Amino acid sequence: MASRRERVSTLPRLQLLVLLLLPLLLVPQPIAGHGGKYSREKNEPEMAAKRESGEEFRMEKLNQLWEKAKRLHLSPVKLAELHSDLKIQERDELNWKKLKVEGLDEDGEKEAKLVHNLNEYGLDGRKDTQTLHSNALSEDTQEELGDPRLEKLWHKAKISGKFSSEELDKLWREFLHYKEKIHEYNVLLDTLSRAEEGYENLISPSDMTHIKSDTLASKHSELKNRLRSINQGLDRLRKVSHQGYGSATEFEEPRVIDLWDLAQSANFTEKELESFREELKHFEAKIEKHNHYQKQLEISHQKLKHVESIGDPEHISRNKEKYVLLEEKTKELGYKVKKHLQDLSSRVSRARHNEL
């Protein structure tokens, strides 16, 4: 009887225990990927910090540069272009960190190029960090060209009467593209000299003789090709500036024209060359779309300033919303264009190196 009474009296206690534990059992417990030891937040603190603070980039130095640039009151198009550049810089630096861990940048060439690119914006310790590099962010077109020969050609073209406003826009892009080619040549020259110094400081240079010879030969060949492209580009600018644009060519955009010229002299099969040509057409369409959004962004900016001067809250809110959407789309397209250009340039470069 006692054991029966004991069993009966145990039931309420069990029920009470279940009632007490039930709320705890219903509370979601931390699992992998949701705040636990192996969660995304624990393993990607940079991304979590970005979401909380609203920062544009994962890397603090790029956020510093972005904030500095915004204080300079640059045009919306210039600011969006810088944003795309910094996104590419961030992507390249994160990829380089992976390569470094795997020991795939022994000569430090990729690191030197990244440092050189970042220094162009004045964030290295050797430059005045209160100002940004004028070539990268200047609003003055004369400063942007930075070469008396180009400035003279551009001035003559503007007053010649041979160009429509659309053709002048196109010619201006050619001038800027030529300037960018000179910049890339100087970056390559600088990284090559650093690489040569690195090879000279190797502990066992005899073990690296073959690798050194092949690598440096490849880089010297690339340097030579870039110099030839620069000379050809200047000849083209002189010709177009004096004669104007003739009949329509296969490609219109300077970057696409350059890539096609390089591809035709690269080690592509006929089928590969035709495939590359089609991809260039898609790339050119992407550039044209980006150019269109840049123009719409500038128009939207001017309209927003006008509406703000009137002071109508409803119109200001509506125009600001449209402006923000255009700004984000322009940034996104700018990044895609630059990434696509990198990919296409790498393919041509690899095909040309295969000829060695």
Side-chain angles (χ1 to χ4, degrees), residues 41-55:
E41 288 76 13
K42 294 290 185 183
N43 289 288
E44 296 185 20
E46 290 182 342
M47 292 299 288
K50 177 184 173 184
R51 287 195 297 272
E52 290 171 9
S53 65
E55 292 179 337

Side-chain angles (χ1 to χ4, degrees), residues 80-120:
E81 193 71 7
L82 173 64
H83 189 276
S84 302
D85 286 337
L86 295 181
K87 279 291 185 184
I88 290 291
Q89 178 77 13
E90 181 174 63
R91 169 179 173 263
D92 290 346
E93 288 209 29
L94 294 175
N95 286 339
W96 168 76
K97 285 180 180 179
K98 294 177 184 177
L99 292 176
K100 187 179 180 182
V101 170
E102 297 168 4
L104 298 179
D105 190 28
E106 292 183 357
D107 58 6
E109 179 194 337
K110 290 181 176 62
E111 181 181 14
K113 185 174 181 180
L114 287 170
V115 170
H116 191 289
N117 286 342
L118 195 59
N119 289 351
E120 286 295 304

Side-chain angles (χ1 to χ4, degrees), residues 159-214:
I159 64 175
S160 67
K162 297 176 181 177
F163 301 91
S164 65
S165 59
E166 290 80 9
E167 288 174 334
L168 276 176
D169 285 343
K170 177 182 172 183
L171 182 60
W172 177 243
R173 291 197 299 272
E174 288 207 46
F175 273 100
L176 292 182
H177 178 58
Y178 177 79
K179 181 195 162 201
E180 181 62 24
K181 288 202 295 186
I182 294 176
H183 167 70
E184 290 172 353
Y185 174 83
N186 289 330
V187 170
L188 183 60
L189 187 63
D190 182 52
T191 53
L192 181 58
S193 63
R194 289 171 183 263
E196 288 177 332
E197 289 174 8
Y199 281 123
E200 289 173 2
N201 295 329
L202 286 171
I203 298 174
S204 304
S206 58
D207 297 335
M208 301 293 290
T209 301
H210 179 67
I211 299 175
K212 172 184 174 181
S213 177
D214 288 349

Side-chain angles (χ1 to χ4, degrees), residues 159-291:
I159 64 175
S160 67
K162 297 176 181 177
F163 301 91
S164 65
S165 59
E166 290 80 9
E167 288 174 334
L168 276 176
D169 285 343
K170 177 182 172 183
L171 182 60
W172 177 243
R173 291 197 299 272
E174 288 207 46
F175 273 100
L176 292 182
H177 178 58
Y178 177 79
K179 181 195 162 201
E180 181 62 24
K181 288 202 295 186
I182 294 176
H183 167 70
E184 290 172 353
Y185 174 83
N186 289 330
V187 170
L188 183 60
L189 187 63
D190 182 52
T191 53
L192 181 58
S193 63
R194 289 171 183 263
E196 288 177 332
E197 289 174 8
Y199 281 123
E200 289 173 2
N201 295 329
L202 286 171
I203 298 174
S204 304
S206 58
D207 297 335
M208 301 293 290
T209 301
H210 179 67
I211 299 175
K212 172 184 174 181
S213 177
D214 288 349
T215 303
L216 293 184
S218 172
K219 294 303 173 187
H220 277 291
S221 174
E222 185 179 352
L223 200 64
K224 185 178 178 181
N225 288 333
R226 285 184 184 269
L227 185 58
R228 183 167 60 245
S229 178
I230 286 172
N231 292 331
Q232 290 173 347
L234 184 58
D235 289 341
R236 172 177 167 76
L237 284 176
R238 284 175 176 151
K239 180 180 178 182
V240 173
S241 298
H242 287 96
Q243 300 178 7
Y245 287 106
S247 56
T249 56
E250 183 167 15
F251 298 109
E252 298 291 328
E253 283 296 325
R255 286 168 288 185
V256 181
I257 292 170
D258 261 3
L259 284 169
W260 179 237
D261 288 343
L262 290 171
Q264 287 176 296
S265 59
N267 192 24
F268 282 129
T269 64
E270 187 175 337
K271 185 177 180 181
E272 288 172 336
L273 189 61
E274 183 57 34
S275 173
F276 195 77
R277 183 208 300 262
E278 289 302 312
E279 190 164 353
L280 286 179
K281 290 179 181 178
H282 292 300
F283 179 51
E284 187 167 60
K286 189 181 292 184
I287 292 175
E288 289 170 355
K289 185 177 181 181
H290 180 227
N291 291 340

Side-chain angles (χ1 to χ4, degrees), residues 303-317 319:
K303 189 173 181 181
L304 178 60
K305 286 202 303 184
H306 173 69
V307 172
E308 285 176 337
S309 68
I310 297 174
D312 183 342
E314 184 180 345
H315 279 79
I316 290 174
S317 176
N319 280 275

